[in-house]
Amino acid sequence: MEKQPRSRTYHEIIGNFISGATAGAVAKTTIAPLDRAKIVFQVSSKRSFSYRKCGEFLLSTVREKGVTMLWKGNSATMVRIVPYAAITYMSNEHYKNYFKRISSDGKLSGLCRFASGSLAGLTASFSTYGLEVLRARMAIKSEYVSIFQSLKHILRTEGVSSLYRGIAPTLLGVSIYGGTSFYVFGTLKNAHPLSSSDELNPKHRLLYGGLAGLCGQSISYPLDVTRRRMQTGGIKGDHLDRYSTMWRTITRIYKNEGLKRGLYKGLSLNFLKGPIASSISFTVFDYMNNFISGHESY
């Protein structure tokens, strides 16, 4: 049941920020090895993906460089994901509250729930995009050993504009992913039968969060591959102009690699890691936010 709209307090806003930051950090750290493997396969036009090859890559990394290398680039991920997740969840609550306040019945429609998630994703991505590029570079280039060393090298050799390569497919992708995932999670929570004294149990939160992530990532995945190619173009033996625009990148990938082995390469890995990350993220946010604010968010 939707609550009557009201202005959010400073305490609630800070609570959303802290809860979102924690949720993002826990979820991303959990799936970091799978995330690194996905990036390595996504950015290469010559590597075909399979679970076996993914497993071989992870095992060879452990044998040759040690288990900690599976989390290589996670420091850059944390520098990005903490503010990204914090801004995403905080913005989503803000936009939801705004749409409730301007609606005639004080309730959140499905369209407004989708719009809230989309706007939240856009707000967070635009604010933290340069850190995402650094994270992608560190995941595939062994010479990049720290965030600051990576930033210095990129600025010296490619210029400031390289930190915004791939921003168009990123913004489009997060608007689709954010809108879909928050819509699915919020709708499933809202539809779950509860008495006034009940609380959604952990297994349902995890299930609904996993389904939300699965839906969002399946729809927006080709744009994820596109942005990775644009972000890392020029350091894998590719000429920068091959991946200079979103449309050129999409058409080049499709022409040379097709849908399954190109624009949807690694999607099956996302079916494993995506729901895990989303279920953890949504669940951690809900529990922390409920603890801080004292009420459930719908």
Side-chain angles (χ1 to χ4, degrees):
M1 183 176 180
E2 298 282 357
K3 300 182 182 297
Q4 287 299 312
R6 59 180 177 80
S7 298
R8 299 166 69 221
T9 65
Y10 178 77
H11 176 77
E12 288 175 321
I13 294 173
I14 296 300
N16 295 157
F17 189 90
I18 295 172
S19 301
T22 305
V26 173
K28 275 295 186 181
T29 300
T30 302
I31 63 158
L34 295 177
D35 226 10
R36 181 164 185 254
K38 185 193 76 169
I39 293 174
V40 168
F41 281 96
Q42 278 185 334
V43 301
S44 174
S45 60
K46 298 177 181 178
R47 284 179 184 250
S48 60
F49 176 82
S50 70
Y51 279 117
R52 181 180 61 81
K53 291 180 179 180
C54 178
E56 289 173 351
F57 166 76
L58 294 174
L59 287 174
S60 67
T61 299
V62 172
R63 283 196 302 266
E64 296 170 13
K65 302 178 182 179
V67 68
T68 58
M69 286 300 293
L70 294 178
W71 277 266
K72 183 178 183 292
N74 198 50
S75 58
T77 300
M78 290 299 102
V79 171
R80 169 190 170 268
I81 201 61
V82 168
Y84 177 85
I87 294 170
T88 298
Y89 280 105
M90 182 180 68
S91 299
N92 183 61
E93 294 299 315
H94 171 77
Y95 292 129
K96 286 197 304 181
N97 187 264
Y98 171 76
F99 285 124
K100 287 179 183 179
R101 294 179 68 185
I102 65 173
S103 68
S104 57
D105 58 2
K107 296 182 179 180
L108 194 66
S109 67
L111 180 60
C112 289
R113 193 182 297 281
F114 182 91
S116 297
S118 293
L119 290 170
L122 289 170
T123 302
S125 286
F126 192 79
S127 303
T128 62
Y129 187 74
L131 294 169
E132 168 64 15
V133 174
L134 289 175
R135 200 264 300 208
R137 295 294 183 93
M138 289 183 70
I140 65 171
K141 194 73 170 176
S142 60
E143 289 87 341
Y144 296 155
V145 296
S146 72
I147 298 172
F148 295 110
Q149 186 267 343
S150 304
L151 177 62
K152 182 180 178 180
H153 181 270
I154 292 171
L155 292 177
R156 185 178 69 249
T157 59
E158 301 175 46
V160 177
S161 62
S162 63
L163 292 175
Y164 292 91
R165 287 178 57 82
I167 194 170
T170 298
L171 295 180
L172 180 58
V174 297
S175 67
I176 297 171
Y177 172 78
T180 302
S181 59
F182 278 110
Y183 169 79
V184 172
F185 185 69
T187 300
L188 289 173
K189 276 180 61 179
N190 212 36
H192 191 93
L194 291 174
S195 67
S196 58
S197 60
D198 285 338
E199 185 180 274
L200 200 64
N201 63 45
K203 68 179 181 181
H204 284 112
R205 292 183 196 274
L206 289 167
L207 175 62
Y208 296 162
L211 290 172
L214 187 63
C215 292
Q217 291 188 349
S218 296
I219 294 172
S220 62
Y221 193 78
L223 292 167
D224 190 41
V225 175
T226 301
R227 75 189 176 100
R228 293 296 185 203
R229 294 292 179 91
M230 294 181 71
Q231 287 171 349
T232 60
I235 65 172
K236 295 293 290 182
D238 295 312
H239 296 294
L240 285 173
D241 60 352
R242 293 179 179 177
Y243 302 124
S244 58
T245 68
M246 180 175 71
W247 183 246
R248 178 177 290 180
T249 303
I250 291 173
T251 53
R252 183 175 184 81
I253 294 172
Y254 177 73
K255 179 181 178 181
N256 294 338
E257 303 167 54
L259 284 174
K260 183 178 179 180
R261 297 180 180 274
L263 292 172
Y264 283 93
K265 181 191 290 186
L267 178 62
S268 57
L269 181 60
N270 256 32
F271 289 157
L272 173 63
K273 80 175 193 65
I276 293 173
S278 296
S279 61
I280 292 173
S281 182
F282 278 118
T283 301
V284 171
F285 173 81
D286 265 5
Y287 277 113
M288 281 205 65
N289 195 56
N290 293 353
F291 175 77
I292 294 172
S293 68
H295 63 81
E296 186 81 41
S297 172
Y298 291 95

